[in-house]
Amino acid sequence: MNLNRYLSEKVEVINRGLKELLPREDDYPQTLHRAMHYSLFAGGKRIRPVLVLAASEAVGADPAAALNCACAFECIHTYSLIHDDLPAIDNDDLRRGRPTCHRAFGEAAAILAGDALLTVAFDMIARTETRNRGAIVKVIQELAKAAGSTGMIGGQMVDIESEDSDIPFPVLEYIHIHKTGELILAAIRCGAILGGASKKELGALSRFGKSIGLAFQIADDILDVEGSSDEMGKNTGGDEKKGKATYPSLIGLDESRKRASELVEMALGSLADFDGKADPLRAIARYIIARRK
Ligand code: GRG
């Protein structure tokens, strides 16, 4: 399958969905809505929403029913980037190839734009047109848990508390799984749930999601060492400067690459019982460690 074509088709659908579901840029209060649009439409890869749609397809469903949910994942991801870049956290100037939200709009507007993106995400899911309201409640629960204190925010907290200290490997793994892995896993689970996955399919897709979620953050650590700031659209080398524990800093670059490849192989193994409809998921898993941005 042609992954580039698949990704660009899906990104177009997702961007159209986001524009329809979000308040417009010129809606009052304009500063807030402009800041939300500025960060959302800055050219992110849209991996999480694409995973929602691809998981739905893998279980044989029409991905259109999962579009609102896909857009919600991108809103939550973008909010996390805006807040992560703030002076109180990473204090970064560049994101997705342009000045960070707080550099462009000021710190207060950036905090509020992040808050508003987090909130609107749940509204988007609630607005899904479906008779299966049970699935909607389940998806809201999955997303809230993955984004909250026992998921992404929890991982971020431990990450911040671990700066400039020698942490043991299990703590590093906790950070990666929670800060990044949980949202990726939830994107896949939510797409599958909305697509009507059986218990067995959901179990296999969850194993797939856990493996690629961790592989994604290991690849991100490697790219922070080896990637170019131009391609990444953000300043690389920041982990070392900030004294962050990463896979390369704890186990070295070669071992990190090996671990990421093993995780992708494990992910592909989890899809053994799926037919060609899971090919986009297979291709995304391989892309996660091959990407340059
Ligand atoms: C509430 C103040 C406050 C802060 C929260 C939740 C949070 C801060 C941060 C989340 C943690 C985070 C940013 C993890 C990094 C995950 C990661 C690898 C991001 C990059 O994702 P890509 O490569 O980026 O998918 P694009 O730009 O392509 O979407």
Side-chain angles (χ1 to χ4, degrees):
M1 72 154 295
N2 183 331
L3 181 64
N4 280 340
R5 195 180 324 135
Y6 181 85
L7 290 179
S8 57
E9 277 169 20
K10 294 297 180 213
V11 168
E12 210 184 303
V13 171
I14 290 157
N15 286 347
R16 229 180 298 131
L18 282 167
K19 285 200 175 118
E20 256 167 48
L21 291 164
L22 271 183
R24 283 204 306 269
E25 229 178 331
D26 52 6
D27 282 353
Y28 187 76
Q30 286 92 347
T31 312
L32 180 62
H33 294 126
R34 278 191 200 127
M36 291 161 74
H37 279 251
Y38 173 86
S39 290
L40 255 181
F41 297 103
K45 294 184 291 296
R46 310 290 196 230
I47 286 295
R48 296 152 191 81
V50 170
L51 284 169
V52 173
L53 302 180
S56 215
E57 272 174 14
V59 297
D62 174 0
L67 181 60
N68 286 30
C69 174
C71 292
F73 270 84
E74 187 60 25
C75 288
I76 293 213
H77 167 59
T78 303
Y79 123 74
S80 82
L81 300 180
I82 295 174
H83 281 190
D84 193 50
D85 290 335
L86 285 170
I89 305 207
D90 274 0
N91 194 20
D92 273 319
D93 296 333
L94 197 65
R95 171 69 71 178
R96 293 178 162 171
R98 40 166 92 170
T100 45
C101 194
H102 67 273
R103 288 275 171 236
F105 291 88
E107 209 176 323
I111 293 171
L112 297 176
D115 292 342
L117 284 169
L118 168 62
T119 321
V120 80
F122 292 97
D123 179 53
M124 287 178 178
I125 298 180
R127 281 156 66 194
T128 303
E129 278 175 32
T130 172
R131 276 191 296 262
N132 188 357
R133 300 315 286 176
I136 298 299
V137 173
K138 184 113 193 46
V139 159
I140 288 177
Q141 227 173 2
E142 293 266 342
L143 178 54
K145 193 160 183 298
S149 65
T150 56
M152 179 177 75
I153 298 281
Q156 180 71 5
M157 188 74 243
V158 180
D159 192 15
I160 291 168
E161 285 179 336
S162 305
E163 276 178 25
D164 293 318
S165 61
D166 290 328
I167 55 166
F169 192 73
V171 176
L172 175 70
E173 218 164 39
Y174 175 92
I175 293 171
H176 281 31
I177 288 170
H178 289 80
K179 174 175 91 162
T180 306
E182 291 278 345
L183 202 62
I184 289 177
L185 168 62
I188 293 159
R189 282 180 58 85
C190 288
I193 291 166
L194 290 169
S198 67
K199 214 172 160 188
K200 189 168 167 239
E201 286 171 328
L202 190 58
L205 287 168
S206 301
R207 287 194 294 284
F208 172 82
K210 272 186 197 153
S211 299
I212 66 158
L214 180 54
F216 191 92
Q217 185 56 50
I218 299 176
D220 197 71
D221 285 359
I222 297 171
L223 283 168
D224 193 69
V225 180
E226 292 187 322
S228 90
S229 297
D230 273 356
E231 279 178 294
M232 298 281 287
K234 62 178 180 180
N235 295 317
T236 51
D239 291 341
E240 198 186 340
K241 267 187 233 135
K242 287 167 203 143
K244 288 208 177 186
T246 62
Y247 262 68
S249 71
L250 253 73
I251 62 170
L253 270 171
D254 284 347
E255 227 11 74
S256 303
R257 280 191 211 100
K258 199 170 143 224
R259 183 71 191 125
S261 300
E262 281 166 4
L263 284 162
V264 168
E265 285 311 312
M266 268 167 64
L268 295 172
S270 316
L271 299 184
D273 290 340
F274 285 76
D275 62 15
K277 289 194 286 300
D279 281 351
L281 285 181
R282 295 184 178 98
I284 295 166
R286 292 192 190 96
Y287 160 78
I288 277 173
I289 52 166
R291 70 200 166 99
R292 315 240 331 129
K293 64 173 191 171

Coordinates of all heavy atoms in Angstrom, one line a residue, residues 22 51 77-78 88 145 152 160 162 171-172 178 193 196 199 249 269 274 283 291:
L22 N -14.6 23.0 14.9 CA -14.1 24.1 15.8 C -14.8 25.4 15.6 O -15.3 25.7 14.5 CB -12.7 24.4 15.4 CG -11.5 23.6 15.9 CD1 -10.2 24.2 15.4 CD2 -11.4 23.7 17.5
L51 N -4.6 7.3 13.2 CA -4.7 6.0 13.9 C -6.1 5.7 14.3 O -6.6 4.5 14.2 CB -3.8 5.9 15.1 CG -2.3 5.7 14.9 CD1 -1.5 6.0 16.1 CD2 -2.0 4.3 14.3
H77 N -3.9 16.4 21.6 CA -2.5 16.4 21.3 C -1.9 17.8 21.2 O -0.9 18.2 21.8 CB -2.3 15.5 20.1 CG -0.9 15.6 19.6 ND1 0.2 15.3 20.3 CD2 -0.4 16.0 18.3 CE1 1.3 15.5 19.6 NE2 1.0 16.0 18.4
T78 N -2.7 18.6 20.4 CA -2.2 20.0 20.2 C -2.1 20.8 21.5 O -1.2 21.6 21.7 CB -3.0 20.7 19.1 OG1 -3.0 19.9 17.9 CG2 -2.5 22.1 18.8
A88 N 6.9 27.7 31.8 CA 7.0 27.0 33.1 C 7.3 25.5 32.8 O 7.7 24.8 33.8 CB 5.6 27.1 33.8
K145 N -9.2 9.2 30.4 CA -8.3 8.4 31.3 C -6.8 8.6 30.6 O -5.9 8.8 31.3 CB -8.7 7.0 31.3 CG -7.9 6.2 32.4 CD -8.7 4.9 32.8 CE -8.0 4.2 33.9 NZ -6.6 3.7 33.5
M152 N -1.4 10.8 30.3 CA -0.5 11.7 29.7 C 0.0 12.8 30.8 O 1.2 13.0 30.9 CB -1.1 12.5 28.5 CG -0.3 13.5 27.9 SD -1.1 14.2 26.5 CE -2.3 15.3 27.2
I160 N 8.8 15.9 34.5 CA 9.3 17.2 35.0 C 10.1 16.9 36.3 O 11.2 17.5 36.6 CB 8.1 18.1 35.2 CG1 7.6 18.6 33.9 CG2 8.5 19.4 36.1 CD1 6.2 19.3 34.0
S162 N 11.7 14.4 37.2 CA 12.9 13.6 37.0 C 14.0 14.4 36.3 O 15.1 13.9 36.1 CB 12.6 12.4 36.1 OG 11.5 11.7 36.7
V171 N 11.4 3.9 35.7 CA 10.8 5.2 35.8 C 10.8 5.9 34.4 O 9.8 6.5 33.9 CB 11.5 6.2 36.8 CG1 10.9 7.6 36.8 CG2 11.5 5.5 38.2
L172 N 11.9 5.7 33.6 CA 11.9 6.2 32.2 C 10.8 5.6 31.4 O 10.1 6.2 30.7 CB 13.2 5.9 31.6 CG 13.3 6.3 30.1 CD1 13.3 7.8 29.9 CD2 14.6 5.7 29.4
H178 N 3.4 6.7 29.7 CA 2.2 7.6 30.1 C 2.2 8.9 29.3 O 1.1 9.3 28.8 CB 2.3 7.8 31.6 CG 1.9 6.6 32.3 ND1 2.8 5.5 32.5 CD2 0.7 6.1 32.8 CE1 2.2 4.6 33.2 NE2 1.0 4.9 33.4
I193 N -13.3 0.7 19.0 CA -14.6 0.7 19.7 C -15.7 1.3 18.8 O -16.8 0.7 18.6 CB -14.5 1.4 21.0 CG1 -13.6 0.6 22.0 CG2 -15.9 1.7 21.6 CD1 -13.2 1.4 23.2
G196 N -16.9 -1.0 16.1 CA -17.6 -2.2 16.5 C -16.7 -3.4 16.7 O -17.1 -4.5 16.4
K199 N -14.3 -8.4 21.1 CA -13.4 -8.4 22.3 C -12.0 -8.8 21.8 O -11.0 -8.2 22.3 CB -13.9 -9.3 23.3 CG -13.7 -8.9 24.7 CD -14.4 -9.8 25.7 CE -13.7 -9.6 27.1 NZ -14.1 -10.5 28.1
S249 N 20.0 8.4 26.3 CA 20.9 8.7 27.4 C 21.0 7.5 28.4 O 22.0 7.4 29.0 CB 20.4 10.0 28.1 OG 19.3 9.8 28.9
G269 N 3.2 -8.4 14.9 CA 2.8 -9.7 15.3 C 1.4 -9.7 15.9 O 0.6 -10.6 15.7
F274 N -5.4 -10.2 11.4 CA -6.2 -9.2 10.6 C -5.9 -9.4 9.2 O -4.8 -9.8 8.8 CB -5.8 -7.8 11.1 CG -6.4 -7.4 12.4 CD1 -5.9 -7.9 13.6 CD2 -7.5 -6.6 12.5 CE1 -6.5 -7.6 14.8 CE2 -8.1 -6.3 13.7 CZ -7.6 -6.8 14.9
A283 N 1.6 -0.3 8.0 CA 2.5 0.7 7.4 C 2.8 1.8 8.4 O 4.0 2.3 8.4 CB 1.9 1.2 6.1
R291 N 10.6 7.4 10.3 CA 10.4 8.8 10.0 C 11.6 9.7 10.3 O 12.4 9.4 11.2 CB 9.1 9.3 10.8 CG 9.3 9.4 12.3 CD 8.0 9.4 13.1 NE 8.3 9.1 14.5 CZ 8.3 10.1 15.4 NH1 8.1 11.3 15.1 NH2 8.5 9.8 16.7

